[in-house]
């Protein structure tokens, strides 16, 4: 089966040659194309608009310095989003160290769970916006990242596997653990969200 050509291949190739005349225009084109998505991913993970803007700057700085290491084994966008995820996690860790320790909800690898998406959690994440974002911020980094990318950035399982360098099985099991952890946070700290889900006529449960 013929592989689809990376739509960014020409821009990426031009950006690998800073001395060439087309470098600035190519880099600006990549920046304009991905700036908003990079900010969105960074914001979902860090929970801070200021930190997200810092991640945008840091990510594109790293892009400039590391682009020659990109060999085309994946789409450029996948490679970039992986870089953004790592920058965002590093940013959050630095902020936590400045503010003092905070206990994240655990993400034990030993839980035996159904790997399918939890329907109540899925509906909550899609329907209830900012409060669910706050709840997600209380999870450990691995669980927060995979929930944010899955539901708030609408990444498929395949995209998650490529972006996070995980197998599909690990993606599914980690999502299942994230559902359990998020439901615990919602139940204990945001009980009104569950009440909204159960209310007649509310959200995705009645959608067809």
């Amino acid at each position: 089966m013929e592989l689809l050509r990376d739509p960014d291949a020409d821009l990426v190739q031009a950006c690998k040659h800073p001395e060439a005349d087309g470098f600035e225009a190519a880099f600006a084109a990549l920046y304009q194309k991905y700036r908003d998505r990079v900010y969105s991913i960074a914001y979902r993970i860090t929970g801070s608009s200021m930190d997200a803007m810092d991640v945008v700057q840091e990510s594109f700085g790293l892009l400039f310095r590391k682009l020659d290491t990109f060999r085309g084994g994946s789409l450029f966008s996948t490679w970039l989003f992986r870089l953004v995820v790592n920058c965002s996690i590093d940013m959050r860790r630095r902020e936590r160290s400045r503010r003092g320790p905070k206990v994240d909800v655990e993400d034990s690898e030993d839980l035996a769970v159904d790997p399918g998406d939890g329907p109540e959690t899925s509906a909550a994440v899609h329907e209830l916006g900012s409060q669910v974002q706050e709840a997600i911020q209380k999870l450990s980094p691995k669980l927060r990242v995979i929930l944010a990318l899955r539901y708030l950035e609408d990444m498929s399982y395949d995209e998650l596997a490529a972006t996070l360098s995980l197998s599909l099985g690990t993606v599914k099991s980690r999502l299942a653990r994230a559902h359990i952890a998020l439901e615990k946070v919602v139940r204990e700290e945001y009980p009104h969200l569950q009440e909204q889900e159960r209310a007649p006529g509310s959200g995705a449960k009645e959608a067809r």
Side-chain angles (χ1 to χ4, degrees):
M1 185 176 71
E2 184 179 355
L3 296 177
L4 292 177
R5 184 175 185 274
D6 191 334
D8 297 312
D10 291 339
L11 289 175
V12 169
Q13 188 61 31
C15 286
K16 288 186 175 183
H17 302 283
E19 72 286 353
D21 292 339
F23 167 78
E24 290 187 11
F27 195 87
L30 284 179
Y31 178 80
Q32 290 295 329
K33 181 175 181 179
Y34 288 108
R35 175 188 57 192
D36 292 345
R37 187 80 187 275
V38 167
Y39 173 86
S40 180
I41 291 172
Y43 176 74
R44 301 302 188 187
I45 297 172
T46 65
S48 162
S49 58
M50 291 185 63
D51 288 347
M53 288 189 287
D54 287 343
V55 169
V56 171
Q57 292 183 342
E58 183 175 341
S59 296
F60 281 99
L62 282 173
L63 169 63
F64 174 75
R65 296 193 296 275
K66 293 188 173 185
L67 191 57
D68 61 345
T69 68
F70 174 63
R71 303 302 181 195
S74 65
L75 291 176
F76 166 76
S77 58
T78 299
W79 181 83
L80 173 61
F81 297 153
R82 187 182 305 136
L83 185 152
V84 174
V85 167
N86 291 336
C87 285
S88 299
I89 291 174
D90 289 344
M91 174 67 70
R92 184 169 173 90
R93 285 173 177 161
R94 290 197 297 269
E95 287 302 307
R96 284 182 57 194
S97 67
R98 284 199 285 267
R99 292 193 296 260
K102 174 185 175 183
V103 177
D104 284 315
V105 175
E106 66 178 339
D107 58 347
S108 169
E109 298 290 339
D110 299 322
L111 288 174
V113 294
D114 180 352
D117 288 0
E120 291 188 4
T121 300
S122 302
V125 173
H126 277 301
E127 298 281 325
L128 298 171
S130 61
Q131 290 175 310
V132 171
Q133 171 76 22
E134 292 176 10
I136 288 175
Q137 292 302 312
K138 298 179 183 295
L139 304 182
S140 65
K142 286 193 295 186
L143 302 188
R144 179 171 58 250
V145 166
I146 203 162
L147 277 180
L149 296 182
R150 170 64 173 160
Y151 296 115
L152 303 179
E153 292 300 317
D154 293 321
M155 284 193 182
S156 68
Y157 282 15
D158 287 337
E159 288 172 322
L160 288 171
T163 300
L164 301 176
S165 298
L166 301 173
S167 69
L168 281 176
T170 301
V171 165
K172 293 177 181 179
S173 62
R174 189 171 294 179
L175 273 170
R177 291 194 299 275
H179 295 154
I180 291 173
L182 181 59
E183 286 168 5
K184 179 180 178 182
V185 171
V186 169
R187 183 171 62 251
E188 294 177 353
E189 301 191 33
Y190 303 89
H192 61 285
L193 297 185
Q194 288 189 321
E195 292 171 4
Q196 283 181 254
E197 288 180 22
R198 298 190 189 102
S202 64
K205 287 195 172 183
E206 301 217 349
R208 293 290 183 267

